Amino acid sequence: MTSVIAKKCIEEGLQENTGEIDVAVHLGRRVAAKILQQLFGFDAPEEKLLEWSVATHRSFFNNSNAYEEFNKRGIEAGIEMRAYIRKYILPFGKDLANDKDLANDKHLANNPNIIAVLLEAVEGREIQGPEYEFDEERFISNVAGFVTGSVETTNNSICKTLNQLLNKPEALGMVVKAVKDDDDDEIARICWEAYRFGMPPFLKRVVSNECTINGHTFKKGTVVLASTRSASMDPALNKEPETFNPDRDFTYESFHFGHGIHKCLGRYVAVPVVATVIKELILNGELGVSRIEGPRGEMKFDPNDSYVESFRIKLRPKETSDNLMQSLVSMILPPFILTLGFILSALKKADKVRLAAKTAEEPLTLPMKLSICFILGVLLSFSSMLLTGLLEVLKLSVSSVVLYGLITYYVLFSRDK
């Protein structure tokens, strides 16, 4: 299902005349929103999903400058989203809290993946302790966090992973080979290793209890910046961290999306989607993806925070029949007409050619005859491909050349005695 959704989004977003697509606008967010709708049962209108996710993510995670406008819109979007969850999702959460066997209930059978998210919220008792009881507001907050984290996390992960692959030709070559081999596990390992080089520079956190780390005391309420990017380049964690190595022995999902109570709920969408979207892009581009030259090809961020707003890339899409015909008319038609005229004229006068060769003072030798047949065979093959509208007109078939060569030999020389 994920690959089908990705293919459709690529088809809708790809500019056929240029082979360009904006990954952030037409893929990252769109694919994530459709996954939420079709696989996780969060079937609010797509535009509403995108509006809620962008506003809440911007307000909660990417508003380091504390813009009041962002906070206001984030709160408004949060209220709208919570109302939707309370009405449409909360009833399932209550049922699961009382009887987890309802995970197989027919009402959820078409949306099995949402069960994992609901149980994640319901089983908060694993963190809170055995005395923890189902709390409606906490449940709603967790599901809202799932939506908020899914769209922007997925979009940023796709764009930053692809950006790193384009920065590293050897890594791009690895993933193209893995796509050719249809090795999804290898594609995923390469993608998450690429993302390691493009992770967010830091995460803003607030100290909940006073603590001392490496001799530095952090008082309760202190705002700290945890640099995951720096940590990913720590030799104590990753040997030779500057080397691109998709076979590193650590769990990409855990490392990239946090741990414990702060583990990103958006990982349920981002983890399976990122590698699939990269794979479909490469396949659509006929194993070719490239960066657009100049500023237009740069990854662009929202001017007031750090999420990816636009990232245009170049694919090598399969040429359409319309584009092919334009090429034929403008580049091939004139010489084709001359070639076809020559062939028709030569065949029409085959007997004369044969008789002339037969009565010549120095008759044609076999190699000379074969050369003539080969040339006419190539011309006839080329002409037939143009006439029948085959797409790959320049890739002459050996069998067709031989066939037309034999026909030519029969017409011109077979009656020679």
Side-chain angles (χ1 to χ4, degrees):
M1 176 64 77
T2 303
S3 61
V4 173
I5 292 173
K7 287 177 183 177
K8 184 172 178 58
C9 289
I10 292 173
E11 291 173 359
E12 293 174 348
L14 184 64
Q15 298 178 0
E16 290 189 355
N17 59 328
T18 63
E20 295 180 6
I21 187 170
D22 193 317
V23 178
V25 174
H26 296 292
L27 273 182
R29 293 188 179 90
R30 294 288 176 185
V31 171
K34 292 180 187 299
I35 291 292
L36 286 174
Q37 291 175 315
Q38 299 179 33
L39 293 183
F40 287 87
F42 203 99
D43 56 356
E46 184 174 320
E47 293 306 321
K48 267 297 178 185
L49 271 175
L50 294 173
E51 178 186 333
W52 290 341
S53 65
V54 170
T56 52
H57 197 277
R58 172 185 281 175
S59 174
F60 300 159
F61 301 110
N62 289 321
N63 191 20
S64 56
N65 293 319
Y67 288 107
E68 184 59 33
E69 178 186 348
F70 288 172
N71 285 333
K72 180 181 178 181
R73 183 62 198 114
I75 292 172
E76 292 173 349
I79 292 173
E80 293 177 12
M81 182 162 54
R82 291 175 71 89
Y84 174 91
I85 296 169
R86 187 182 301 278
K87 182 176 181 179
Y88 296 104
I89 307 296
L90 179 60
F92 290 132
K94 287 182 176 180
D95 290 340
L96 286 170
N98 295 323
D99 185 357
K100 294 178 186 177
D101 290 337
L102 288 177
N104 297 319
D105 187 271
K106 62 181 180 180
H107 299 296
L108 296 178
N110 294 326
N111 300 302
N113 289 320
I114 199 173
I115 297 170
V117 180
L118 295 176
L119 289 178
E120 180 85 8
V122 171
E123 294 178 344
R125 59 177 63 88
E126 292 184 0
I127 297 174
Q128 301 296 325
E131 73 283 358
Y132 172 75
E133 296 182 0
F134 181 78
D135 180 89
E136 289 188 7
E137 295 306 313
R138 178 179 175 81
F139 173 84
I140 292 171
S141 295
N142 276 12
V143 177
F146 166 63
V147 175
T148 297
S150 295
V151 176
E152 289 308 312
T153 297
T154 302
N155 179 56
N156 282 343
S157 298
I158 291 171
C159 291
K160 292 181 178 180
T161 297
L162 186 57
N163 185 55
Q164 290 300 320
L165 289 173
L166 293 176
N167 285 342
K168 303 178 184 300
E170 74 283 4
L172 185 59
M174 288 181 188
V175 78
V176 168
K177 181 181 184 303
V179 170
K180 287 181 179 179
D181 296 339
D182 198 25
D183 189 340
D184 291 340
D185 289 339
E186 181 68 6
I187 295 170
R189 287 193 294 271
I190 294 169
C191 286
W192 292 118
E193 171 68 353
Y195 183 64
R196 184 175 68 86
F197 288 84
M199 295 174 67
F202 60 81
L203 300 173
K204 187 171 77 170
R205 294 288 183 261
V206 178
V207 177
S208 57
N209 294 294
E210 182 174 319
C211 60
T212 299
I213 301 176
N214 292 334
H216 299 280
T217 299
F218 298 88
K219 297 185 179 298
K220 181 179 180 178
T222 302
V223 176
V224 295
L225 302 179
S227 180
T228 51
R229 182 183 297 177
S230 175
S232 73
M233 293 296 171
D234 188 344
L237 177 66
N238 293 313
K239 185 179 179 181
E240 299 180 351
E242 298 295 337
T243 301
F244 189 92
N245 178 14
D247 295 323
R248 294 187 184 280
D249 186 21
F250 66 87
T251 304
Y252 288 87
E253 292 91 303
S254 298
F255 185 78
H256 289 63
F257 296 101
H259 181 71
I261 195 171
H262 284 296
K263 196 169 186 178
C264 179
L265 283 170
R267 71 188 183 278
Y268 289 108
V269 175
V271 168
V273 166
V274 171
T276 300
V277 168
I278 299 294
K279 178 181 180 179
E280 292 303 329
L281 276 172
I282 292 172
L283 286 173
N284 189 279
E286 295 183 327
L287 304 179
V289 178
S290 60
R291 189 183 299 279
I292 296 174
E293 296 291 337
R296 289 183 64 252
E298 296 176 358
M299 191 162 55
K300 296 178 174 59
F301 296 86
D302 184 278
N304 294 315
D305 54 31
S306 60
Y307 70 81
V308 183
E309 188 176 56
S310 176
F311 184 33
R312 302 186 67 85
I313 64 167
K314 178 86 170 179
L315 300 181
R316 291 200 295 268
K318 295 177 181 178
E319 194 167 17
T320 64
S321 57
D322 289 341
N323 290 337
L324 176 63
M325 290 308 298
Q326 291 175 5
S327 298
L328 291 176
V329 171
S330 62
M331 299 175 60
I332 302 176
L333 189 57
F336 165 67
I337 292 175
L338 293 175
T339 301
L340 185 59
F342 169 76
I343 294 172
L344 292 176
S345 176
L347 293 179
K348 185 177 180 180
K349 299 178 180 180
D351 279 338
K352 293 183 179 181
V353 173
R354 180 178 57 82
L355 291 173
K358 190 174 182 180
T359 58
E361 293 182 1
E362 295 183 7
L364 294 176
T365 62
L366 180 61
M368 294 173 67
K369 291 179 181 180
L370 293 177
S371 297
I372 293 173
C373 293
F374 173 76
I375 294 172
L376 291 177
V378 171
L379 292 174
L380 281 168
S381 298
F382 184 70
S383 302
S384 67
M385 287 184 175
L386 292 177
L387 286 171
T388 55
L390 295 178
L391 295 180
E392 300 185 31
V393 295
L394 298 181
K395 296 181 180 178
L396 301 182
S397 168
V398 174
S399 59
S400 66
V401 171
V402 172
L403 175 62
Y404 285 118
L406 291 174
I407 293 173
T408 303
Y409 186 88
Y410 173 78
V411 172
L412 295 180
F413 307 118
S414 65
R415 288 173 289 173
D416 291 349
K417 300 294 184 183

